[in-house]
């Protein structure tokens, strides 16, 4: 069943009934010029309009459709498309006609040099209520993750197939794929892409995405840094707290030795509080260690394995 293909295009769609037909037509033109074997995977993320019907009406055996029972979110849709994709290269794009299929060949060029290439909507055609928070979000993410690209949230991205098979997406982690890929040792490039205003349908995201996005940024960073050793972060905070309690106590003891009453001092309460907190942080870290160890998932990717070479001879 699994014939090798050059390219898989993965498109998550949620209530894009007015857009999918036109998007397919544009893709068809670009793909026939490209001269590569390809598949277009539409993942319908529980649309309640006629998106699925419109997709089913497309008569082209390169088009594959997966329809979710309900709306699970863009990350789940992408993750499903990634699992299905058989192309050596995988390109993801939004299904709202804001990303222009004519950029696809440029992703190919750039993927010669990189494992993944992220699009950058340098002239973003969205309301200012989106563009300003997005600038702030991108600067923060650049700073925290150390990945120097401009536009983490761009839906238009290109990958070599092994990258998409090795990043795990859930929640709203799709925004952090460049960081996840970078942490897994893949090279990340960037190209500027043209961006069109949304003509049909509505944007699915409002300001709430900023809060969720920020929480997810904390999670991905934490998972990357401390997944293997939770005690290193929680235990570290715990030790710091206990250490400060010891200092306070030394001070209190010296007062007490000099005959000064310490029983009614707020400082004593503080030192008790931070001792208890410190102990709790350390136990939290130990529980984290227990969970990580019992899962025992080898989280590394093997690039070269001489054993496999021997076996295949
Ligand atoms: N999308 C999806 N599931 C969702 C929300 C969005 O599959 O729960 C799709 C949507 O149909 C579009 C893409 O993700 O193809 C980007 O969404 P949108 O255009 O609303 O985001 P914006 O461009 O406003 O950031
Ligand atoms: Mg959009």
């Amino acid at each position: 069943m699994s014939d090798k293909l050059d390219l898989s295009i993965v498109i998550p769609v949620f209530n894009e009934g007015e857009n999918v037909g036109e998007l397919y037509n544009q893709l068809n033109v670009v793909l026939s010029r490209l001269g590569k074997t390809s598949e277009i995977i539409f993942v319908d993320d529980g649309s309640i309009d006629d998106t699925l019907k419109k997709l089913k009406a497309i008569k082209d055996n390169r088009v594959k459709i997966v329809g979710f029972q309900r709306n699970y979110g863009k990350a789940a849709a992408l993750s499903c498309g990634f699992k299905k994709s058989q192309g050596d290269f995988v390109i993801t794009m939004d299904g709202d006609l804001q990303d222009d299929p004519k950029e696809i060949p440029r992703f190919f060029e750039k993927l010669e040099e990189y494992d993944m290439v992220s699009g950058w909507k340098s002239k973003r055609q969205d309301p200012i209520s989106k563009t300003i928070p997005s600038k702030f979000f991108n600067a923060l993410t650049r700073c925290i993750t150390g990945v120097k690209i401009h536009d983490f949230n761009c839906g238009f991205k290109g990958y070599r197939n092994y990258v998409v098979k090795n990043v795990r997406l859930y929640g709203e982690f799709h925004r952090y794929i460049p960081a996840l890929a970078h942490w897994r040792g893949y090279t990340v490039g960037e190209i500027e892409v043209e961006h069109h205003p949304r003509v049909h349908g509505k944007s699915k995201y409002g300001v709430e995405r900023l809060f969720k996005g920020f929480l997810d940024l904390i999670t991905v960073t934490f998972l990357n840094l401390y997944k293997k050793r939770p005690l290193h972060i929680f235990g570290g905070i715990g030790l710091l707290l206990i250490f400060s309690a010891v200092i306070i106590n030394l001070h209190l003891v010296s007062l007490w030795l000099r005959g000064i009453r310490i029983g009614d001092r707020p400082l004593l309460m503080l030192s008790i509080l931070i001792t208890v907190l410190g102990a709790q942080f350390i136990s939290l870290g130990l529980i984290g260690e227990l969970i990580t160890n019992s899962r025992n998932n080898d989280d590394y990717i093997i690039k070269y394995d001489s054993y496999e070479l021997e076996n295949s001879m």
Side-chain angles (χ1 to χ4, degrees), residues 94 96 98 198:
D94 287 353
D96 55 1
Q98 292 197 264
R198 194 188 248 281

Side-chain angles (χ1 to χ4, degrees), residues 16 94 96 98 126 130 195 198 203:
E16 306 288 0
D94 287 353
D96 55 1
Q98 292 197 264
D126 275 323
K130 274 191 172 196
H195 191 237
R198 194 188 248 281
S203 168

Side-chain angles (χ1 to χ4, degrees), residues 11-16 19-20 23 43-47 51 68 71-78 93-99 121 124-127 130 153-155 172 174-175 195-196 198 200-206 209:
I11 310 171
V13 281
F14 176 46
N15 295 342
E16 306 288 0
N19 294 317
V20 287
L23 176 60
V43 184
D44 174 37
D45 185 13
S47 298
T51 302
F68 284 172
N71 179 243
Y72 287 96
K74 194 174 170 183
L78 285 173
M93 63 191 297
D94 287 353
D96 55 1
L97 293 173
Q98 292 197 264
D99 296 334
K121 300 163 291 202
R124 186 166 175 187
Q125 306 291 333
D126 275 323
K130 274 191 172 196
N153 200 20
C154 184
E172 305 202 0
H174 56 277
R175 304 204 177 93
H195 191 237
H196 302 298
R198 194 188 248 281
H200 303 291
K202 284 202 293 273
S203 168
K204 312 302 179 303
Y205 299 100
R209 93 155 114 198

Side-chain angles (χ1 to χ4, degrees), residues 68-116:
F68 284 172
Q69 182 65 34
R70 66 163 172 86
N71 179 243
Y72 287 96
K74 194 174 170 183
L78 285 173
S79 180
C80 170
F82 286 165
K83 230 178 254 161
K84 301 262 176 214
S85 56
Q86 292 169 9
D88 290 335
F89 294 90
V90 178
I91 287 181
T92 62
M93 63 191 297
D94 287 353
D96 55 1
L97 293 173
Q98 292 197 264
D99 296 334
D100 196 323
K102 73 173 196 290
E103 307 280 14
I104 289 175
R106 294 184 49 237
F107 275 97
F108 261 103
E109 274 167 35
K110 198 77 177 178
L111 281 166
E112 305 258 316
E113 295 167 59
Y114 293 94
D115 293 313
M116 91 162 265

